[in-house]
Structures are given as structure tokens and as C-alpha cells.
Amino acid sequence: KVRKTSSQAKNIDPKNIDLTKPCFEKLLTECGVVFPTDSPTVPIPFVLNVNQATLRSSISTLLKELQSTKSVDLNAIILDDMEEILTADTTKLHGMLLPATFNGTNQSSLIKTLLRVPFLQPRLLTVLLQTLPSLEESNAASSSTEVPLSSNLGRLILTNIRWLDMIYDSPNLTSTALEVLGVCSKSMKQDLITILPDIIPDSAADSAVESLLELKQDDNTLLLPILDAVSSLRLSPFALELVTKETLDELSAAETAALPGIARFLVHHSDPASTSAVISKLRSSLTLQATEKDDSAVSSSTLTFETLSQGFQYRSDLTTELIAQISLSSDSSEHSTADIYLLLCAFAAQHNKTKIANIIRKKCALNILTKTLLTDSIEPVPEHIISLFPSYLSLADSLLRAPESNSRELGGSIYSSLFSSFSDLMLRQDIVAHLTTHVGSGTVTEVDTALTVLQSLTYDGASHLRPFSPFITAMLDCMASMTLSQTRRLFMVLFCLNAEDSEGDTIQIILRKHLSHSSLRMKRVGVIGVTAFAVVKSLRLRQDNFTTDANPDDASTQLKEITDLLELAHDSCDPSKKRINAVDEAPSPLGFLFDELALAIRGNQVAPIVKNWVQERYQELLEEDFMGDFDEKDEEGTAMESEPQTNPESVAKAYVVTSNGLIPKCAKDKDLLVRPDPSIRFHNQEPYGEIRLNEDGDEADLYLKILPFLLSSDQPKRKLPSILVPLMRLLSALHDPRYGGGGLAEID
């Protein structure tokens, strides 16, 4: 603020001032203002011979000296002349409102300088405000060529009135401004209302608010500028409650463009006693229309949520009231998407996260806040909730770590909805990065849910997830802490995304490394990966995916890739290959391969031509390695005497114990059925064999070998019975009509 001292003023003799009209122009000229010699038709900025500080000081000093040296009424002479000049010549007024120049540099306008003179300010402000309605009348009556010249003159006047250092007659100015409001046009009312906080003193704030609310009754479009002005006034509790009530009444019918301003007042400036009413009204009125997708509607929604988030951050009473009202609900029908939006706005504040997450988990456990409600708050209007995306992501992260299964499912649903609704690559990358973090957490339930989400996203559209495949490939480093089912899901996702690019080659190298490993655990991982590869490749080989112009060579190539990898897995797991470094009691990993294939077949995830190959390959294994044929029955049908067998101590007759006269063709198997004469001591360290469970009687054609493997001196062969049950499960799945098999009618 410039100090007003006479040392800054020009040395002007007041006796030389002619107080005859136009005395106001003469006074300004003496102080350093250059008036144009002719009457311009367009506004021209005034030129100053002194800077604005010197000009202001010179005018103040000269007026004081005139009052002391001349016994005249300056109010009747200078002020009246000033009013006449400003109201008579609009062009000159316009020029006085433009930035003045001094030595080629812009200074404040001449009007701005005059408003800082205490003697001139009250009258000058009154004249300027009273000029506004007349300017609008002249605009309406002028020709179209003159309209641009003065159309913005009213705004220019208001701009010069704003940000004054001091108001010397606030009550009179407030009264004048409120009177002018009643006769101004709509646009001018809005502009004038915005400057009221700069001119209304605190003592007149309540009465000004009453006048403004009366204006709103005639024109609801004035609500936003009124709220903006009221927010800067220091109101009494009664006046603030009155404004809050009026605002709440308008909230339901408010247009989308008005919501940011209304929300800003309610969460930042509303009466604390009205907190309950504010939250209740927001819950019932805060809705988004999916049809409103233009830029203005999206911007309004974004600003609304940002404003609400800021309000919840600084007003704990709003957060407390929101949680209290949500806690009272007992049915899902009591909630709408507005509750989700408000909870997420409150969740944006760091100190509210725990409280909001707890209430959501509690309501989710009671099935009150449902996945459908969360999905409805995202998918129809993703453009409108872009400002809430960080809150959604943070909430999903919190829910996915929860111990309750309902909460984890809700968190996974949020991730899926966000990924499918937002197409921006940066936003989708954030989602995938969060899911990757969950997979690496090592918590079984958390990893399960995250992998389930990734798998569903892959099935819904692998092309959308493929740009982020490096993130998912990096999850291979976490397999050591994964369960087998989690590993299965991971490989399914990886092969769906990378089956035909360099990442797919990397995954196959990892598979071969696991298959060649001596550890049973590592081999199992390799087997899971091979089966997942077969399932993914089968997607292109399914009968319902073929078209009439399909390339047979392509199908053959796909089938060969699958069968080659399955053969590699079989050879790596085959106990007869002696590649497994495990204790004797450990089961063969080949059985795990059979179980994995059976699981895929029961899930209808294997193409028919692949199933045919598997059936031919392993049915032959069952028949050749595990099955034996019987000789024709002997005439007696119960027993047949064999050649005498020599014992170191004695020679005795030996008998082949059979069932219904069935005798194996294989000599080694038949020898296991030999029994010595009970009357003769016969030393045999091997157990005696029997044919059991013969439900078909003498109609049986085949028998199953078990004892020959158990008595083998070859350790790998002794492991073969451990794969028999998995092999039978695989073959039964292949023949089961429920899974596309032909049934057992034609099987011997």
C-alpha cells in the first residue's frame, strides 16, 4: 500500500484551479492526466505524465488544500461534475477503465487510481454501480455495430471495483449494490454477486444473505454465484443454516453442471448442525446418468467427486455421519451407487481408509454391499468416475488382503470391472501391477483371488491384457511359494497371452527346465505347465472352432506341438527312464501327468483330436504293461499239475492255483501262482500269487498285473503300480460320455 504523503504530490497552487465546470477534468489535468483534445468515438486508454502513486497523492493533497483555502462545497462542485462526466460519455468512461500508460508502460486504470482517493471513492463507487443498468439499456438500444464496444463495459467496471485496499463507506456501498441487483440483467447479476464479498462488511453479511436468497427465489440459476459469494462471508449460525437448507432443497433438481459448486458449499461451508441432513441428501441425490457422456458432464462429475473428497478429508464430522448412516442399513435395497461414491470420496483421505474399509467389509460379509452394486457404480459411467480411480484401486487392494472370502471376492470384482471399463493403458497397467503385487505376497488366499482375476480377464479378452504380459511373466519367480492349483492358473494365463511370441518361447524353456529337474516338486510344475499348454492350444483345435476353409496343415502343426510336449513330459516322468532322484516310496510323477490330463478332460478343455491321441497313447500302455491274457481253460477247470520243481532239499509236486481254471499265458506270471505240496517243506522267499476279484468267473479274458511289478528287481518297475490308478482315472475320463467319450460299451 503506497504511503499517501504530500512529498509525493506535484507542487500545485490551489489558487490556479478554476472550479467552474468542467472542474473535475481541470483538477485531473493539473495532477498529471492527459485528456484527449477531441471526442474519440472509440475508447482510448488515458496517458499519465506521472506514475499512479504520484497521481493519487497529488489528487488527495490538492483536494485537502482546496477545502482549506476555498470556501466552496467540493461535493456540489467536483463530485457532481465527476458524476456528470462519467454518466454522460460512455466512451470516455470506457477509456478511464482501461489500463493507463506512463512512459510507455501500463499502469492501473484511471478509475482504479481514483477509487483509492478517500474523498472520491464513496461517490465514485455509487456512480459506477448505478451506471450498470443504464449501460444495459444503451446496449439494447444501440446498433449492432456499437454493441461490441460496450457489451463488456459492465464487467470492466466490476473488475476495477474488486480488490480495493479499503472501503471507506461500506454500508452505503452495500445498500447500493443490493439495490442495483434488483434491476440488473441475469448475466450482470451473476457478475455483481461475485464481487459482493469484496465490498460487504461482516456486520451487513446476514442482511445481504437474506436479500440474495430472495433473488434466488425468482431465478434459481443465481444459486451458484450466491453460494460462491456466501462462502467468503462471515455469517451467523442462523444465516448459515438458512443458506444450507436452501441449498439442500435445490440439490435434487440441480443440473450436472451445478453439482460441483453445490457440493463445494455443502462439504466445506455448510452448518455443522446440518451434517446429518447434508449426508442424507447427498446419498439420495448423487446420481450419474450413463447417457451424459459429453465433455462438460464428465468434467462436472470429476469436479464434484474431487470436491467431495477434499471435504471428507478436512471434515471428520461428515465422515463420522456417513459411516453412522451406512451402519444402520440392514438390507441391500437401502443402498445405491451414491453410497459407493461417497464412501470412496471419504476413503481418499489417508486417515479415513481403515474406517471406510472396515465398514465395507462388514457390510460385504452380511451381503448388504454386493458385487452388483460395486459393478454398477463403475461400468455404466467410467468417464465420470475417473477422479475416483485411485480410491477404487486402493479399496480393491485393501479388500483383496482381507481374511473374509466375501471381501476378497468383492476386491477381485472391483479389479475386473476397472480393467474392463477403463481403456487407458496407464490405468490398466496400474491394475495389473497391483494384481502382480498380490500374487507375490505369498498369502494363499490373496494369491488365489489375484490369479482368479487375471484368469478371468484373460478369458474375457486376452488381447487387452497382452500389452502387460511382462508383468505376468515375472510372476514365474513366485512359483516356489505357490500351490499346485495356483501354478495351474498362472500357466493358463501365461500361455493364453504368450502362446505365439517370444515370451511363449521363454515359458517353454522354463517348462523343459522343470521337467528335466530331479526334484518331484519341480517335475510337477513342469507337468502342470505342459497340460496348460495343451489346453490353450486346444482352443484353436476344437471342432466348433473349425470353419469350412480351415487349413488342415495348421491343425496338424498345432497337434504336433501338443503331442511333442506331452511326449517330453511323459519321458521325463516315466520311472523306467531312471531320471527321478527320489526315495523308493515316492510316487511316480507320471501319475501326476495322468491326473492333470484327466482334470483337463473332465473340464472339457481338450480338443477332440488331442483326446484321441491321448486315448490311443495310454490305452496301449495299459494293455501292454498292465494287462495279461489267459490260456484256454483246462478240462477239470480248477487246477493243473505242472512239471516237478527241484528244491535243494527235496523234490515235490507243485500245483498252479487258478480261479475257474484260468491260467495266464505269460510263463513268469504263471510261475507266481505255483504252490508246493503242503506235506513237503518248500523254501520260497517270494510271496505266493493269486488271482482275485474275478467277478466275471470263467468268462474273464484279461487280468491285471500287480505282483509281477512289486517283485521286480528293477526299482523303476516297482513304481509302476503307483501310476495305475491315475492311468485308470485318465482312461475313464476319456471314455466317459459326460466329457465327450464314447462310453464303455465297446471296451473289452
Side-chain angles (χ1 to χ4, degrees):
K1 189 174 181 180
V2 180
R3 295 177 59 193
K4 302 175 183 179
T5 61
S6 58
S7 61
Q8 295 175 300
K10 293 177 61 178
N11 188 13
I12 302 173
D13 187 357
K15 297 179 181 180
N16 296 331
I17 300 298
D18 184 7
L19 295 180
T20 61
K21 292 186 177 182
C23 59
F24 183 65
E25 287 190 5
K26 295 175 183 178
L27 184 145
L28 295 182
T29 301
E30 289 292 334
C31 293
V33 179
V34 179
F35 280 82
T37 56
D38 53 357
S39 298
T41 58
V42 295
I44 299 175
F46 277 73
V47 178
L48 305 180
N49 290 329
V50 295
N51 61 46
Q52 59 181 3
T54 301
L55 174 62
R56 183 173 66 252
S57 179
S58 298
I59 295 174
S60 298
T61 302
L62 183 57
L63 288 173
K64 290 179 181 179
E65 292 178 354
L66 285 173
Q67 285 180 323
S68 60
T69 58
K70 294 190 177 185
S71 56
V72 295
D73 185 4
L74 294 181
N75 290 331
I77 298 177
I78 295 179
L79 296 183
D80 289 349
D81 189 43
M82 176 187 70
E83 180 178 352
E84 183 179 345
I85 292 173
L86 295 178
T87 56
D89 192 344
T90 303
T91 303
K92 183 177 291 185
L93 172 62
H94 200 159
M96 296 174 72
L97 291 167
L98 296 175
T101 59
F102 170 66
N103 290 339
T105 60
N106 288 336
Q107 303 279 312
S108 298
S109 67
L110 181 57
I111 289 292
K112 195 80 170 180
T113 303
L114 296 178
L115 286 172
R116 291 174 178 170
V117 178
F119 179 77
L120 300 178
Q121 188 201 79
R123 184 73 171 271
L124 181 55
L125 283 174
T126 301
V127 171
L128 290 175
L129 290 176
Q130 292 176 344
T131 304
L132 296 177
S134 61
L135 288 175
E136 295 179 344
E137 294 177 0
S138 64
N139 287 343
S142 62
S143 63
S144 59
T145 57
E146 296 175 351
V147 172
L149 179 64
S150 56
S151 59
N152 293 323
L153 188 54
R155 290 188 176 89
L156 195 57
I157 290 175
L158 297 179
T159 301
N160 279 265
I161 293 177
R162 298 197 75 171
W163 315 118
L164 292 176
D165 297 334
M166 183 177 292
I167 302 295
Y168 295 101
D169 190 3
S170 295
N172 181 60
L173 180 59
T174 301
S175 176
T176 303
L178 294 177
E179 290 176 0
V180 171
L181 270 176
V183 295
C184 282
S185 65
K186 175 180 176 179
S187 60
M188 189 60 67
K189 285 179 181 178
Q190 293 176 347
D191 294 332
L192 182 54
I193 289 173
T194 59
I195 72 163
L196 289 181
D198 298 322
I199 61 178
I200 294 179
D202 293 341
S203 58
D206 287 1
S207 59
V209 165
E210 293 178 1
S211 300
L212 291 175
L213 292 179
E214 291 178 1
L215 285 175
K216 186 195 75 67
Q217 300 300 326
D218 299 329
D219 187 358
N220 284 336
T221 60
L222 297 177
L223 177 62
L224 289 185
I226 289 175
L227 292 180
D228 187 54
V230 168
S231 300
S232 302
L233 297 176
R234 185 174 298 176
L235 302 179
S236 65
F238 173 78
L240 186 57
E241 183 181 359
L242 183 63
V243 177
T244 302
K245 183 179 181 302
E246 290 286 340
T247 305
L248 291 175
D249 292 341
E250 298 293 336
L251 182 58
S252 299
E255 297 180 354
T256 304
L259 287 178
I262 295 176
R264 179 178 179 274
F265 174 81
L266 290 177
V267 299
H268 286 279
H269 306 286
S270 62
D271 179 25
S274 304
T275 300
S276 178
V278 169
I279 294 298
S280 298
K281 198 66 175 180
L282 287 174
R283 291 183 62 196
S284 61
S285 305
L286 188 62
T287 58
L288 299 179
Q289 299 297 328
T291 56
E292 297 181 357
K293 294 186 178 181
D294 55 283
D295 293 341
S296 60
V298 171
S299 299
S300 297
S301 299
T302 301
L303 289 174
T304 300
F305 290 131
E306 289 179 353
T307 300
L308 291 173
S309 298
Q310 293 174 1
F312 281 110
Q313 181 174 1
Y314 296 110
R315 288 192 59 175
S316 59
D317 59 329
L318 291 175
T319 304
T320 303
E321 180 61 29
L322 175 62
I323 293 176
Q325 292 190 15
I326 296 293
S327 300
L328 294 176
S329 63
S330 58
D331 189 80
S332 59
S333 61
E334 300 178 28
H335 293 283
S336 65
T337 55
D339 291 337
I340 303 299
Y341 298 140
L342 292 174
L343 287 171
L344 287 168
C345 289
F347 189 79
Q350 188 65 36
H351 57 275
N352 289 335
K353 288 185 180 295
T354 302
K355 294 183 289 186
I356 299 299
N358 287 341
I359 188 64
I360 291 178
R361 286 170 53 187
K362 179 181 178 181
K363 293 300 178 182
C364 178
L366 298 173
N367 203 29
I368 295 177
L369 289 181
T370 62
K371 291 190 292 184
T372 302
L373 184 61
L374 264 296
T375 302
D376 290 343
S377 71
I378 299 173
E379 294 182 353
V381 287
E383 303 89 352
H384 295 257
I385 61 170
I386 185 66
S387 61
L388 294 179
F389 181 85
S391 295
Y392 271 108
L393 206 58
S394 181
L395 177 62
D397 179 78
S398 177
L399 293 175
L400 209 67
R401 301 178 190 275
E404 306 89 6
S405 60
N406 286 348
S407 298
R408 293 195 301 273
E409 291 177 4
L410 184 62
S413 177
I414 294 175
Y415 277 125
S416 299
S417 297
L418 290 176
F419 191 90
S420 60
S421 301
F422 291 95
S423 58
D424 185 84
L425 290 180
M426 292 301 295
L427 299 181
R428 285 184 167 180
Q429 179 174 304
D430 285 343
I431 296 171
V432 175
H434 275 71
L435 290 171
T436 304
T437 303
H438 289 298
V439 171
S441 67
T443 305
V444 175
T445 54
E446 186 178 343
V447 177
D448 273 339
T449 309
L451 286 173
T452 301
V453 173
L454 287 171
Q455 191 172 11
S456 67
L457 293 177
T458 304
Y459 290 164
D460 292 341
S463 59
H464 297 154
L465 197 60
R466 191 166 288 121
F468 317 106
S469 58
F471 287 89
I472 302 174
T473 305
M475 297 179 190
L476 290 169
D477 297 334
C478 307
M479 282 197 303
S481 60
M482 290 184 184
T483 64
L484 296 179
S485 62
Q486 292 167 354
T487 305
R488 188 178 298 113
R489 284 199 185 96
L490 177 58
F491 275 119
M492 288 292 295
V493 173
L494 289 172
F495 280 120
C496 284
L497 297 180
N498 309 303
E500 299 178 358
D501 55 17
S502 58
E503 293 286 345
D505 295 338
T506 302
I507 299 169
Q508 288 213 31
I509 292 173
I510 294 175
L511 284 184
R512 295 173 187 272
K513 176 182 176 182
H514 279 78
L515 288 173
S516 63
H517 205 281
S518 59
S519 168
L520 182 61
R521 163 72 185 182
M522 300 293 280
K523 280 190 179 293
R524 284 188 169 185
V525 172
V527 167
I528 291 173
V530 169
T531 310
F533 177 82
V535 169
V536 172
K537 283 292 184 179
S538 290
L539 295 176
R540 298 187 60 184
L541 294 175
R542 288 181 179 277
Q543 186 65 35
D544 54 356
N545 287 341
F546 284 147
T547 58
T548 55
D549 57 348
N551 186 358
D553 294 337
D554 182 55
S556 177
T557 302
Q558 298 283 339
L559 179 60
K560 187 175 186 306
E561 290 181 7
I562 297 173
T563 56
D564 286 349
L565 205 54
L566 287 174
E567 284 288 4
L568 176 63
H570 180 93
D571 292 343
S572 300
C573 299
D574 191 348
S576 64
K577 304 298 182 180
K578 300 184 180 180
R579 297 178 181 174
I580 306 168
N581 182 18
V583 296
D584 291 346
E585 293 77 10
S588 168
L590 190 57
F592 192 76
L593 173 62
F594 296 154
D595 281 336
E596 281 294 304
L597 289 172
L599 181 63
I601 292 169
R602 286 196 294 269
N604 291 320
Q605 296 179 326
V606 179
I609 56 175
V610 178
K611 288 172 61 177
N612 293 338
W613 181 89
V614 173
Q615 182 173 333
E616 293 174 3
R617 174 69 174 82
Y618 292 114
Q619 190 162 315
E620 181 181 355
L621 174 65
L622 176 65
E623 294 173 357
E624 293 184 357
D625 290 0
F626 290 95
M627 296 293 184
D629 296 327
F630 288 112
D631 274 332
E632 294 183 3
K633 293 184 291 183
D634 61 311
E635 296 180 357
E636 298 179 3
T638 56
M640 183 178 70
E641 183 178 339
S642 66
E643 294 293 329
Q645 301 204 8
T646 304
N647 187 281
E649 298 182 356
S650 62
V651 177
K653 286 186 177 182
Y655 294 87
V656 178
V657 179
T658 64
S659 174
N660 296 325
L662 300 176
I663 302 175
K665 287 183 179 180
C666 177
K668 292 183 178 180
D669 293 347
K670 185 169 61 175
D671 287 343
L672 294 176
L673 299 176
V674 171
R675 293 290 190 274
D677 189 328
S679 64
I680 302 175
R681 186 176 182 183
F682 185 76
H683 296 282
N684 187 356
Q685 297 180 354
E686 295 180 349
Y688 302 133
E690 294 180 0
I691 296 178
R692 297 181 178 179
L693 305 177
N694 183 12
E695 296 182 358
D696 293 331
D698 57 1
E699 298 296 328
D701 296 321
L702 300 172
Y703 65 92
L704 184 65
K705 301 180 181 182
I706 297 179
L707 190 59
F709 294 121
L710 296 177
L711 298 180
S712 174
S713 59
D714 187 0
Q715 177 182 341
K717 281 191 174 183
R718 290 203 298 268
K719 290 180 175 290
L720 286 177
S722 66
I723 70 172
L724 179 58
V725 174
L727 178 59
M728 297 297 287
R729 282 197 291 261
L730 171 60
L731 293 175
S732 65
L734 287 167
H735 289 286
D736 196 325
R738 293 176 299 175
Y739 314 125
L744 301 177
E746 299 180 359
I747 304 300
D748 292 335

